[in-house]
């Protein structure tokens, strides 16, 4: 089963994708995570993406499309995948459609997680991640059970993203409204779009997603 999770920064795409991985035995493909790994490794792609990401703008479509196409070909995607943060423009959505047709694959559900702007700013600015296992947390909304210790792996090493500050988030939200929101209508017209209220508690959102996916 192949899914697309849509929604503004901070809607909960990554949080929910990690949970759906376990439920359905499929793999999360986060273009943001993949790009951050490229930046950390100092690759050519990482060098091109770094400044763009720090400003909260979108990385050029052609770079993203090549990156995701290669990723979908890897063995761990055989049972299915969850696209998190891709597609983000109508040209990316078009490219995904033809890419999947060429690979003999298709998207089963496109789910838009809806959340309002003020809430997502608070979510993004309080977000942090376990450096060891990638588990996501929030200063207020999703604290580890034991302060300073990752629930999943026990690490006490956490990181915050360079672009998770109030100013950059505003720009990321504009990029979302202008360039990404139109793909909600795009998938609506194809008849495969579902929406879920992302303002509910994390567990409630997971339950709704499972209901929608069936
Ligand atoms: P996205 O991948 O869409 O940018 P994340 O899943 O990283 O969003 O969530 C952003 C932040 O908000 C994280 O710190 C996460 O713990 C928190 N969060 C996610 N979903 C909810 C929710 N339903 N209610 C409150 N906080 C949430
Ligand atoms: P969030 O979880 O807050 O929605 P992401 O981790 O998905 O943010 O993306 C972080 C940054 O990486 C974006 O602001 C953008 O610069 C870049 N990026 C990620 N995915 C894409 C994409 N599909 N197209 C263009 N740029 C992307
Ligand atoms: Zn951890």
């Amino acid at each position: 089963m192949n899914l697309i999770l849509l929604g503004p920064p901070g809607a909960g795409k990554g949080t929910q994708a990690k949970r759906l991985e376990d439920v359905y035995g499929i793999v999360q493909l986060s273009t943001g995570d993949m790009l951050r790994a490229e930046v950390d490794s100092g690759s050519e792609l990482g060098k091109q993406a770094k400044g763009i990401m720090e400003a909260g703008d979108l990385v050029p479509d052609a770079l993203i499309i090549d990156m995701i196409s290669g990723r979908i070909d890897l063995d761990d995607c055989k049972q299915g995948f969850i696209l998190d943060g891709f597609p983000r423009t109508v040209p990316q959505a078009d490219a995904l459609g033809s890419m999947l047709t060429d690979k003999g694959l298709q998207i089963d559900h496109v789910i838009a997680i809806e959340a309002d702007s003020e809430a997502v700013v608070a979510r993004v600015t309080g977000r942090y991640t376990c450096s060891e296992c990638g588990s996501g947390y929030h200063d207020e909304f999703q604290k580890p059970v034991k302060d300073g210790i990752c629930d999943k792996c026990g690490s006490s090493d956490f990181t915050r993203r360079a672009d998770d500050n109030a100013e950059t988030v505003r720009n990321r939200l504009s990029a979302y409204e202008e360039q990404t929101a139109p793909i909600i209508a795009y998938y609506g017209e194809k008849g495969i779009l579902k929406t879920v209220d992302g303002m509910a508690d994390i567990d409630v959102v997971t339950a709704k997603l499972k209901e929608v996916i069936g």
Side-chain angles (χ1 to χ4, degrees), residues 18-208:
K18 287 222 156 52
R19 290 170 167 223
L20 297 178
E21 276 192 319
D22 297 339
V23 175
Y24 297 103
I26 57 182
V27 64
Q28 173 197 21
L29 303 184
S30 159
T31 45
D33 287 348
M34 292 162 68
L35 288 168
R36 282 184 286 279
E38 296 286 342
V39 171
D40 289 347
S41 76
S43 70
E44 204 41 56
L45 170 56
K47 281 180 194 151
Q48 291 181 60
K50 189 170 190 278
I52 298 172
M53 293 170 76
E54 279 167 2
D57 295 325
L58 294 185
V59 174
D61 290 336
L63 300 180
I64 299 287
I65 291 161
D66 280 354
M67 182 179 78
I68 201 82
S69 175
R71 183 64 188 85
I72 288 174
D73 293 336
L74 299 187
D75 273 353
D76 63 346
C77 293
K78 291 276 182 288
Q79 298 304 313
F81 50 80
I82 308 161
L83 295 173
D84 160 10
F86 176 87
R88 240 177 168 100
T89 63
V90 171
Q92 287 183 19
D94 279 331
L96 175 66
S98 23
M99 176 199 307
L100 293 180
T101 304
D102 290 349
K103 296 181 196 292
L105 299 171
Q106 62 170 38
I107 294 295
D108 299 288
H109 303 280
V110 179
I111 310 167
I113 305 179
E114 295 178 323
D116 56 63
S117 305
E118 282 319 304
V120 302
V121 171
R123 284 190 192 176
V124 167
T125 52
R127 164 163 65 187
Y128 62 97
T129 306
C130 173
S131 316
E132 288 300 320
C133 74
S135 291
Y137 294 97
H138 190 280
D139 292 327
E140 271 180 73
F141 311 138
Q142 200 189 1
K143 296 179 181 173
V145 176
K146 268 198 210 154
D147 208 26
I149 309 281
C150 175
D151 293 343
K152 195 167 176 191
C153 77
S155 166
S156 53
D157 194 13
F158 297 94
T159 50
R160 285 178 197 262
R161 282 167 47 178
D163 59 344
D164 278 352
N165 58 76
E167 192 195 345
T168 308
V169 171
R170 302 270 172 207
N171 198 35
R172 286 157 62 198
L173 277 173
S174 317
Y176 176 79
E177 289 306 332
E178 284 160 28
Q179 298 180 76
T180 308
I183 66 181
I184 294 179
Y186 174 100
Y187 286 117
E189 283 161 22
K190 291 187 187 290
I192 52 170
L193 180 78
K194 315 271 167 48
T195 54
V196 162
D197 177 14
M199 296 302 295
D201 284 348
I202 295 177
D203 289 343
V204 175
V205 179
T206 308
K208 291 276 183 220

